Amino acid sequence: MGNGAIAAGLAASLASEDETALVKHFAAMPEEERARLTKAMDSLGYSAGRRILIIFGPPGGGKGTYGEKIINKLGVPGLSTGDMLREAVAAGTELGLKAKSVMESGGFVDDAIIVSLITERIKQPDCAKGFMLDGFPRTVEQAGKLDEALGALGESVNMVLALEVPDDVLTVRICGRWVHKESGRSYHIKNKRPKSLPEGEKATEENMKDDETGEPLMRRADDTEETLGKRLKAYYEKTTPILDYWAKAGIVKKVEADDTKGKTMDDIWKSIEALL
Ligand code: ADP
């Protein structure tokens, strides 16, 4: 592509107000031209890069809870592969049908499916300022594919925020967890009871309701002690090696996120906020 074509393409995508086309156009520019444009913008004080953050941690580690606060603070969308897959299962799409049984048993959905789900999603206009990934990447292969896809756009991951929580705490959290499907708000039969659950009563489908909407809460099909064992094993064997993979880039930040030994959730949030 010559300079004239680059300029014309940029002008056309700017004029069309189609941010996806603009991003695509930027990605299609020769690397040298893209680097010059980025450098020029940086030198003028414009940050050309998107804010690309990964919230990382074991199942039940608090990715949903702290992730929500992070996206509100940064004003970028949170992209959860778990939520995207659960939506596909609920909608009965082809992807959902493929993913359902793997997810219920605590296994991993195929890398190729997940990677294309995410690489398509981050081209959407709401990701123009950046995005936070939750539940992806989950294998070193996925991390490599993400690096490749971002590299092609002249971008890279800015930060991997790793929440650390001991297994016994995770088991208690997961096995007592009820969620509000629509909003993703999560409750706990002991630690975060919904208003609808009377003191001293056992949790049932009738008395577990979302505080804000009054809608019924549900249990996730994979939130059982049996499946959790498998999910944790997969987390330590396949997912945590990602931290070594990115350690060299100096972007991994670890946060102690156990709120049962003196630290409150607010203390944990403050240490996360300080890193943003
Ligand atoms: P968790 O509480 O285990 O972090 P998530 O909601 O992130 O749960 O994901 C639920 C399930 O969806 C996983 O156990 C897995 O089957 C599937 N899944 C989600 N993200 C990925 C991914 N990046 N790669 C493969 N499978 C995934």
Side-chain angles (χ1 to χ4, degrees), residues 49-55 66-79 126-133 158-161 269 272-276:
R50 294 190 287 181
R51 198 76 197 260
I52 303 176
L53 198 96
I54 293 174
I55 183 137
Y66 299 110
E68 184 72 20
K69 287 172 168 286
I70 294 173
I71 61 176
N72 287 338
K73 184 169 167 96
L74 299 182
V76 299
L79 315 181
D126 64 331
C127 296
K129 279 206 311 180
F131 51 88
M132 183 196 75
L133 297 172
N158 306 148
M159 195 202 293
V160 181
L161 202 102
W269 169 238
I272 293 176
E273 211 178 6
L275 296 168
L276 297 177

Side-chain angles (χ1 to χ4, degrees), residues 49-178:
R50 294 190 287 181
R51 198 76 197 260
I52 303 176
L53 198 96
I54 293 174
I55 183 137
F56 190 98
K63 300 190 294 282
T65 307
Y66 299 110
E68 184 72 20
K69 287 172 168 286
I70 294 173
I71 61 176
N72 287 338
K73 184 169 167 96
L74 299 182
V76 299
L79 315 181
S80 152
T81 41
D83 285 349
M84 288 158 98
L85 291 169
R86 277 185 290 276
E87 273 163 30
V89 171
T93 62
E94 197 183 324
L95 164 65
L97 293 177
K98 276 192 201 152
K100 190 169 189 283
S101 57
V102 183
M103 289 176 74
E104 280 176 4
S105 71
F108 282 173
V109 174
D110 200 49
D111 277 354
I113 296 181
I114 293 287
V115 169
S116 70
L117 200 67
I118 283 292
T119 47
E120 283 309 308
R121 181 65 186 83
I122 63 175
K123 288 183 196 156
Q124 298 305 310
D126 64 331
C127 296
K129 279 206 311 180
F131 51 88
M132 183 196 75
L133 297 172
D134 167 357
F136 177 89
R138 237 183 180 84
T139 60
V140 172
E141 288 72 26
Q142 290 181 8
K145 292 272 188 295
L146 175 66
D147 268 349
E148 257 173 49
L150 292 175
L153 298 168
E155 299 180 307
S156 58
V157 176
N158 306 148
M159 195 202 293
V160 181
L161 202 102
L163 304 175
E164 298 189 306
V165 182
D167 286 3
D168 55 332
V169 177
L170 298 173
T171 309
V172 172
R173 282 192 196 168
I174 291 271
C175 296
R177 171 158 85 172
W178 287 65

Side-chain angles (χ1 to χ4, degrees), residues 170-236:
L170 298 173
T171 309
V172 172
R173 282 192 196 168
I174 291 271
C175 296
R177 171 158 85 172
W178 287 65
V179 290
H180 178 236
K181 207 168 154 204
E182 278 296 300
S183 65
R185 275 186 285 279
S186 86
Y187 296 83
H188 190 275
I189 51 167
K190 288 210 185 75
N191 310 335
K192 191 169 184 277
R193 296 163 70 92
K195 291 187 211 132
S196 58
L197 177 61
E199 203 57 49
E201 265 189 46
K202 231 178 139 225
T204 64
E205 302 211 343
E206 282 69 43
N207 64 21
M208 293 296 279
K209 303 264 162 59
D210 177 41
D211 284 353
E212 290 188 26
T213 62
E215 287 166 358
L217 300 178
M218 52 163 289
R219 302 228 51 215
R220 266 174 52 173
D222 57 351
D223 275 356
T224 63
E225 199 153 351
E226 193 198 1
T227 306
L228 179 63
K230 194 170 166 200
R231 284 156 73 195
L232 282 176
K233 187 166 180 280
Y235 175 71
Y236 293 117

